[in-house]
Amino acid sequence: MLTALAFLVAIVLAFLGRGYLAWVVGGLILFWACATSGDQVAAGAAGDVASTAPGGWWYFLLVLFLAAAALFGVPAWRRTVLSARVKTILAPILPRISDTERAALEAGTVWWDGELFSGAPKWKRLLDAPLPPLSERERAFLDGPVEQACTLMRDYDAVQAADLPEHVWAHLKRHGFFGMIIPEEYGGLGFSAAMHSAVVTKLSSRSTALSVSVMVPNSLGPAELLLHYGTDEQRRYWLPRLAKGEEMPCFALTGPENGSDAAAMEARGVVCKGQWKGEEVLGLRLSWAKRYTTLGPIATVIGLAFKLYDPEHLIGDDEDRGITCALVPADLPGITIGSRHDPLGIPFHNGPSWGRDVFVPLDEALIGGRAMAGQGWRMLMDCLAAGRAISLPSLSSGCCQVAVRYSGAYALVRKQFNLSIGKFEGVGEALGRVGARNYMIDATRKLTSSSVDLGEKPSVLSAVAKAYCTNTMRDVINDAMDIAGGAGISRGPANVLAGAHMAVPIGITVEGANILTRTMIIFGQGAIRCHPFVQDEMAAVDDDDLVRFDKAFFGHVNFVLCNVVRAFTRGLLPFLPANSARGSRATRKELSRLSRWSAAFSVLADTAMATLGGDLKRKEMLAGRFADALAGMYLSSATLKRFLDEGERPDDLPFMQHACAEADQNIANALAGILDNLPLRPAAWLLRPLLFPLGARRKGASDRTALKVARSLLDESETRLRHSALVHTPPQDEPGLGFLEFARAKIVAAAGIDKRLREALKDGRLDEPREGESLTSRALSLGVIKGEEAMLWNDAQKARARAVAVDDYSQDAYRELRG
């Protein structure tokens, strides 16, 4: 009995994070159990007359145990005997961090990602975090100028013109769209990150070219860099001009040889003296070749990243100062700009630029002045941590929301075999995925952008949001295209999906290509940045700080022990409640699952780091699976927070369950894939029964849940509209979504009449119409329907026919098409 108690106490204490107490208290109970059993055996042998004290071996082991407890429990002894030796052993094993990697690791903040890495996430921290609502001023802007911009824009016309119409550009400048992140004191709008996200989402529902043209000046670029690092003089000069659209910015980062590899950057800037406006000043002579620069062809000011050199030591002792950022007027001698790339026919401006011996004054050009020379990569990583949390997740959400709006309506309007195609299970399966994934992506968008308003710069989670929202957008648009069938692949003004479909690879590629983000950035950065002890351990070794190393290393040992226990216990007993969980039974069940995956993820992350060391950086497929698991946990967390924040609406329950079940399956597959491919096989064999005591297979979303989601989008207009609340609805006479919504309303109004006609045909009360006779005239003559009902039904059928029609062109007109 006491032996069982010892193990139970040890497991409970470890589960609660008290690893040291777990083995000390559990061990003492075991010693007590041994002493008690020895007394009982001796007493029984003597006929209950005498008892025998424990033997010498018992005292010997007890002394060893107490010595170990004292050694591990008294920091001063532990440092002298153990920590100094461990630090010496680990010093050559720990991975070396390059300067660019260090800048990325130090960028931004750790937020909910730290809890997911912890193995025991404190759900109260997430679930109680307020998501600030839009202000009245922001809501008015969204309903006014943003709605007007969408009304002015026709995406297909922009594709044919290869540009936004002039009146759209004028509207954007007049209403300050390019200064959303610029404070009001500099003439900007000073909007919150949540509002910035909402604007990009709504614009994306109308036109990706429109949304990209607006989001880039408000993301990583001159305005963002000036706000954080510019001198007062630079802010006063540039920000009002950028806010009003008087200056059009771009940021030139990528070159022919450097994409993700910043160290390969060939753009150069040399500190020297030169002539500027008739005077000799200290300046920079810049040369560069850049490409893929959005808004570059129409930019009036170029934000430029380059390597700075000071061969004459005019600003310091170092010759190679590192990556630096500057602002360069685009009309200076030596600059060639204006050529365009063609990003899959999406007509936003994107192109290359070249500079040859371009001279600019140093203090005017360097963002932040000479004090920020060589700090460019840190500046970029820090701003990217926030900017990446908004732009592309919002674009993805806008495209997913329009897919929900369109697919739900089209699947009802379009008929085959005299039945709306949405009623077929195959289409319902795809429509279920569209609805659930849209619900999850919009939840992720709201949470990630709002975290910026809460003061976070979530570098790891923004990378997760960017990569997995754009990947999910691809899946959603593909499903929507499948539902649309021929209407999805026939381009023209009536095609709602073509623009989003063509834009998908662009979102996946920019701001860190998803392959790189998944396999190198998310876990490569997160494993050190978000882990509660690894960064401290590495810093303590670098600084030769034994006290700090001792605290971090043995905290890490406790962390691993406790998470092994948590992972096994939660895997065996999945009903155990999550830390500070709340909500309905369905919500608490999902929170418990995520707590289980957090513990398993943490154990595997520590195992991979311990067994692979610096080689883990090169195991990109393993790192990609860790990223998949972390992303699944984050997106599922966002979904559950949304479900709770919105009052756990019963009509949203299947959306939440479908999204979380799919994420659950993806997390399990990712973790199982890590075990399948962990190079040190004995470690994998040992961990598999601990992390998956009941097996690794997860079922994913059930057919029943998928069809519930599909039915909601087909039958319940309120749910479909609410889940696509930021979609711009065009007027009903506009081909595409506008007329489709009009046709849907007609068909819903005539649904009862249509049902009666079908029932009458089925039971023989109505026979097929004769030649030259319509179905409604036949039904009228037989008294199945009334005159006004015949008109309503006929109007619905005419609207249906027009709504499912596709664009066609004469041969000559087709030859003139662009894009």
Side-chain angles (χ1 to χ4, degrees):
M1 187 67 180
L2 284 176
T3 302
L5 177 64
F7 281 105
L8 179 62
V9 168
I11 288 171
V12 170
L13 287 171
F15 189 90
L16 296 174
R18 300 292 184 263
Y20 175 77
L21 287 179
W23 69 268
V24 170
V25 175
L28 289 174
I29 295 174
L30 276 179
F31 275 102
W32 182 23
C34 290
T36 304
S37 64
D39 285 350
Q40 291 171 349
V41 169
D48 296 323
V49 175
S51 68
T52 304
W57 61 268
W58 185 90
Y59 288 105
F60 175 72
L61 292 176
L62 179 61
V63 169
L64 285 181
F65 179 82
L66 293 175
L71 177 62
F72 284 96
V74 180
W77 297 355
R78 187 177 65 217
R79 287 195 292 268
T80 303
V81 177
L82 296 174
S83 298
R85 291 174 172 79
V86 173
K87 184 167 76 70
T88 302
I89 294 169
L90 287 182
I93 298 174
L94 291 174
R96 303 270 74 84
I97 305 297
S98 68
D99 290 341
T100 54
E101 288 174 322
R102 189 177 302 280
L105 285 173
E106 293 173 354
T109 59
V110 177
W111 182 52
W112 184 242
D113 40 348
E115 294 292 337
L116 294 176
F117 265 85
S118 74
K122 297 178 179 65
W123 290 102
K124 183 178 177 61
R125 183 181 182 189
L126 176 73
L127 301 181
D128 289 354
L131 300 189
L134 301 184
S135 67
E136 290 185 13
R137 184 173 71 93
E138 290 173 332
R139 178 58 63 183
F141 188 86
L142 193 64
D143 295 337
V146 179
E147 184 67 25
Q148 293 159 13
C150 291
T151 301
L152 292 170
M153 183 71 184
R154 297 287 182 94
D155 191 56
Y156 187 75
D157 293 344
V159 170
Q160 297 310 303
D163 197 358
L164 307 188
E166 282 299 324
H167 62 273
V168 173
W169 281 114
H171 178 85
L172 298 177
K173 292 177 181 180
R174 183 167 60 253
H175 291 283
F177 278 77
F178 302 119
M180 288 193 293
I181 66 170
I182 297 174
E184 292 180 84
E185 64 183 284
Y186 295 109
L189 295 173
F191 284 156
S192 64
M195 176 57 177
H196 178 187
S197 174
V199 171
V200 173
T201 301
K202 192 173 190 71
L203 295 178
S204 298
S205 78
R206 183 60 161 166
S207 166
T208 50
L210 175 62
S211 66
V212 169
S213 299
V214 169
M215 79 186 190
V216 167
N218 290 288
S219 183
L220 177 63
E224 180 86 358
L225 292 167
L226 285 166
L227 283 170
H228 290 285
Y229 304 105
T231 64
D232 289 340
E233 185 178 353
Q234 288 171 338
R235 291 193 190 104
R236 285 194 299 269
Y237 179 83
W238 286 110
L239 290 178
R241 290 168 169 79
L242 292 170
K244 296 173 185 175
E246 294 173 358
E247 300 280 359
M248 185 58 65
C250 70
F251 194 82
L253 176 60
T254 303
E257 298 299 329
N258 76 288
S260 308
D261 182 6
M265 188 179 295
E266 293 182 328
R268 294 171 56 87
V270 178
V271 181
C272 62
K273 293 182 179 180
Q275 292 295 312
W276 182 260
K277 297 180 180 179
E279 297 181 8
E280 184 180 74
V281 298
L282 185 64
L284 299 170
R285 195 162 298 281
L286 298 161
S287 294
W288 73 86
K290 299 287 186 178
R291 60 184 182 183
Y292 309 147
T293 305
T294 298
L295 297 184
I298 59 171
T300 60
V301 59
I302 304 169
L304 186 69
F306 59 94
K307 287 184 176 178
L308 179 64
Y309 298 92
D310 183 16
E312 299 179 43
H313 305 288
L314 297 174
I315 60 172
D317 295 332
D318 296 328
E319 180 175 338
D320 184 350
R321 301 302 297 262
I323 296 172
T324 302
C325 295
L327 290 180
V328 183
D331 59 355
L332 293 179
I335 295 178
T336 302
I337 197 167
S339 297
R340 292 181 70 171
H341 301 307
D342 179 12
L344 293 176
I346 306 299
F348 63 89
H349 288 272
N350 183 277
S353 67
W354 297 267
R356 184 174 179 82
D357 293 331
V358 179
F359 184 80
V360 289
L362 185 140
D363 289 320
E364 289 183 24
L366 286 189
I367 297 176
R370 66 184 68 188
M372 298 307 294
Q375 300 298 310
W377 191 244
R378 179 175 66 83
M379 294 160 62
L380 292 172
M381 290 298 99
D382 210 35
C383 290
L384 189 62
R388 192 163 50 188
I390 298 168
S391 299
L392 289 166
S394 303
L395 183 147
S396 301
S397 181
C399 291
C400 290
Q401 287 191 42
V402 83
V404 161
R405 179 74 67 89
Y406 174 83
S407 298
Y410 188 84
L412 181 71
V413 170
R414 177 66 167 160
K415 276 191 169 183
Q416 291 288 277
F417 307 103
N418 205 31
L419 191 66
S420 292
I421 63 171
K423 303 295 184 180
F424 293 94
E425 284 198 358
V427 175
E429 180 182 19
L431 190 56
R433 289 194 298 264
V434 168
R437 289 170 177 173
N438 170 68
Y439 186 81
M440 173 176 275
I441 292 309
D442 199 43
T444 304
R445 172 192 71 83
K446 290 176 181 175
L447 179 61
T448 312
S449 61
S450 294
S451 73
V452 177
D453 289 326
L454 296 174
E456 302 292 341
K457 290 185 177 181
S459 54
V460 174
L461 291 183
S462 66
V464 168
K466 183 270 169 184
Y468 288 85
C469 285
T470 52
N471 275 348
T472 303
M473 170 179 63
R474 170 166 53 189
D475 296 335
V476 168
I477 297 299
N478 283 344
D479 273 330
M481 292 285 285
D482 283 351
I483 293 167
I489 62 172
S490 299
R491 295 188 61 205
N495 192 319
V496 178
L497 299 174
H501 181 70
M502 297 302 288
V504 162
I506 300 169
I508 284 172
T509 300
V510 300
E511 288 192 4
N514 284 4
I515 287 179
L516 164 84
T517 303
R518 174 180 176 268
T519 60
M520 296 180 68
I521 293 177
I522 292 173
F523 186 69
Q525 187 175 345
I528 296 174
R529 186 79 170 95
C530 303
H531 196 287
F533 299 105
V534 168
Q535 198 167 13
D536 271 353
E537 289 169 323
M538 295 173 68
V541 169
D542 285 345
D543 297 341
D544 197 24
D545 186 336
L546 183 59
V547 173
R548 184 179 179 187
F549 176 80
D550 171 80
K551 183 178 180 180
F553 179 77
F554 283 98
H556 195 164
V557 171
N558 177 75
F559 178 75
V560 173
L561 171 66
C562 294
N563 277 330
V564 168
V565 172
R566 289 183 186 122
F568 176 73
T569 307
R570 288 195 177 278
L572 198 61
L573 305 171
F575 53 81
L576 288 176
N579 187 336
S580 61
R582 59 183 174 84
S584 64
R585 179 181 178 185
T587 304
R588 293 197 304 272
K589 179 181 177 182
E590 298 299 339
L591 293 173
S592 294
R593 282 180 178 173
L594 288 178
S595 293
R596 180 255 177 111
W597 293 135
S598 173
F601 174 86
S602 179
V603 171
L604 280 174
D606 276 309
T607 301
M609 286 189 283
T611 58
L612 291 169
D615 288 339
L616 182 56
K617 288 199 295 185
R618 289 173 284 279
K619 295 294 183 181
E620 294 165 24
M621 294 170 75
L622 277 181
R625 293 186 182 96
F626 276 113
D628 292 342
L630 180 62
M633 290 189 289
Y634 179 58
L635 269 63
S636 197
S637 299
T639 302
L640 290 166
K641 177 168 176 59
R642 174 183 180 176
F643 186 62
L644 278 163
D645 285 352
E646 294 178 359
E648 298 187 291
R649 297 173 62 114
D651 47 348
D652 284 349
L653 179 61
F655 291 83
M656 180 275 281
Q657 289 177 322
H658 189 300
C660 289
E662 198 170 57
D664 185 61
Q665 186 177 41
N666 292 339
I667 296 165
N669 289 341
L671 297 181
I674 293 167
L675 285 171
D676 290 341
N677 294 278
L678 199 64
L680 188 64
R681 299 311 301 152
W685 301 333
L686 176 65
L687 287 176
R688 190 177 295 277
L690 292 174
L691 303 186
F692 293 101
L694 301 180
R697 182 178 176 272
R698 311 300 293 182
K699 293 183 293 186
S702 69
D703 294 350
R704 182 180 179 185
T705 302
L707 294 177
K708 282 183 179 180
V709 173
R711 282 195 296 272
S712 291
L713 298 182
L714 285 170
D715 302 334
E716 298 173 26
S717 183
E718 188 275 334
T719 300
R720 184 177 65 94
L721 295 178
R722 185 164 49 81
H723 287 196
S724 56
L726 288 174
V727 169
H728 167 73
T729 304
Q732 67 182 40
D733 60 346
E734 182 179 312
L737 186 60
F739 191 81
L740 180 64
E741 290 286 2
F742 172 75
R744 182 189 186 280
K746 288 277 189 182
I747 289 163
V748 169
I753 304 167
D754 189 69
K755 182 179 179 182
R756 293 214 317 270
L757 288 172
R758 285 189 284 108
E759 288 174 348
L761 284 168
K762 185 176 180 180
D763 62 22
R765 288 183 293 117
L766 176 64
D767 52 5
E768 294 293 337
R770 299 184 182 94
E771 186 176 352
E773 184 181 29
S774 70
L775 180 63
T776 48
S777 63
R778 184 69 176 159
L780 273 170
S781 67
L782 295 173
V784 176
I785 59 174
K786 299 176 182 179
E788 63 271 17
E789 292 176 324
M791 291 178 59
L792 185 60
W793 189 86
N794 285 331
D795 285 347
Q797 303 320 302
K798 290 176 184 177
R800 184 197 307 277
R802 183 179 164 190
V804 301
V806 297
D807 298 287
D808 58 84
Y809 308 90
S810 70
Q811 290 286 357
D812 291 339
Y814 185 75
R815 291 189 188 99
E816 297 297 320
L817 294 181
R818 302 178 64 173

